[in-house]
């Protein structure tokens, strides 16, 4: 017995006629895979990503080239229970401080916030050599980084950089460069792309 799938299924998914359902790629759902399970991840810095950057752990030697996500995106990944590690090293685009509920509002050594109260923290972007002194400075650092990423994304698109599958920008402030590498811009590939 065979059944048909919803109209539009095969544009994004695979029609499983034996079960009469549309089998969707990761992080998508719906009769025709039309729903993104992490909508804040769908568009990052003006790019429409093929899949969200929900990688749980990054252990590759070139992890300093990972695609830079927003904190909103990684919070959605965590809410889906597909982000096993800390939601850290992300860019806060919300204009709201991400800090512990019981934090000292003075010196912000570790800008963590645990919205799910399950011990999986969020740490937004800051530079190791430029520790923020307060919430306002921390938000300013994130706004500066977000502005730079949008501008670099525009340049990447207009010049066809990174084979049109990545963002040409400098290494993120929370990443350390491997020996022998300088601080020049590099390709930060979309999730699922390498090279």
């Amino acid at each position: 017995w065979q059944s048909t799938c919803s109209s539009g299924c095969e544009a994004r998914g695979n029609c499983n006629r034996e079960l009469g359902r549309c089998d969707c790629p990761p992080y998508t759902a719906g009769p025709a895979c039309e729903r993104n399970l992490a909508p804040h991840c769908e568009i990052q810095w003006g790019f429409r990503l093929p899949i969200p950057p929900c990688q749980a752990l990054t252990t590759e030697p070139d992890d300093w080239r990972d695609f830079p996500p927003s904190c909103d995106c990684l919070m959605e990944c965590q809410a889906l229970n597909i982000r096993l590690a800390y939601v850290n090293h992300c860019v806060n685009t919300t204009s709201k401080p991400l800090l512990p509920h019981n934090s000292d509002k003075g010196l912000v050594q570790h800008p963590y916030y645990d919205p799910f109260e399950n011990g999986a923290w969020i740490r937004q972007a800051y530079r190791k050599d430029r520790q923020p002194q307060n919430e306002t400075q921390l938000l300013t650092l994130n706004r500066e980084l977000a502005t730079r990423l949008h501008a670099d994304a525009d340049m990447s698109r207009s010049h066809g950089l990174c084979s049109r599958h990545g963002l040409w920008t400098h290494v993120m402030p929370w990443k350390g460069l491997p020996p022998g590498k300088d601080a020049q811009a590099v390709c930060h590939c979309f999730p699922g792309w390498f090279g």
Side-chain angles (χ1 to χ4, degrees):
W1 178 79
Q2 290 188 344
S3 177
T4 58
C5 295
S6 298
S7 175
C9 164
E10 293 183 334
R12 297 184 185 90
N14 182 38
C15 181
N16 186 330
R17 288 180 174 76
E18 289 182 10
L19 299 178
R21 72 178 188 208
C22 190
D23 291 334
C24 299
Y27 317 122
T28 60
C33 305
E34 72 282 0
R35 189 165 52 92
N36 191 319
L37 295 178
H40 281 103
C41 298
E42 187 172 8
I43 297 178
Q44 297 276 283
W45 322 122
F47 288 115
R48 185 172 297 277
L49 299 183
I51 59 172
C54 289
Q55 64 271 24
L57 294 171
T58 306
T59 57
E60 311 92 33
D62 59 352
D63 65 355
W64 46 277
R65 297 187 307 171
D66 282 348
F67 193 85
S70 71
C71 296
D72 274 357
C73 166
L74 293 192
M75 282 192 282
E76 285 184 342
C77 295
Q78 187 188 50
L80 291 168
N81 202 26
I82 52 178
R83 178 89 185 173
L84 303 179
Y86 294 148
V87 177
N88 61 0
H89 301 143
C90 52
V91 185
N92 180 6
T93 59
T94 66
S95 297
K96 297 176 184 176
L98 304 180
L99 294 166
H101 294 295
N102 60 350
S103 67
D104 179 356
K105 300 301 182 185
L107 184 64
V108 182
Q109 291 292 345
H110 299 285
Y112 290 126
Y113 173 57
D114 185 8
F116 306 107
E117 298 181 359
N118 63 359
W121 299 95
I122 290 175
R123 181 171 69 183
Q124 57 194 315
Y126 65 90
R127 286 171 48 177
K128 294 175 182 177
D129 63 341
R130 192 175 167 192
Q131 290 283 339
Q133 299 299 308
N134 53 49
E135 293 175 2
T136 301
Q137 187 180 20
L138 181 60
L139 289 173
T140 299
L141 290 173
N142 276 265
R143 275 195 297 271
E144 290 172 358
L145 180 55
T147 299
R148 187 190 94 196
L149 291 173
H150 278 291
D152 289 348
D154 288 342
M155 184 189 69
S156 298
R157 274 191 301 275
S158 64
H159 290 82
L161 302 176
C162 303
S163 303
R164 300 192 183 278
H165 294 106
L167 168 63
W168 180 262
T169 190
H170 290 276
V171 174
M172 293 300 99
W174 56 80
K175 293 286 188 182
L177 284 169
K181 294 286 183 181
D182 57 25
Q184 66 183 355
V186 295
C187 283
H188 294 71
C189 297
F190 295 160
W193 292 84
F194 302 93

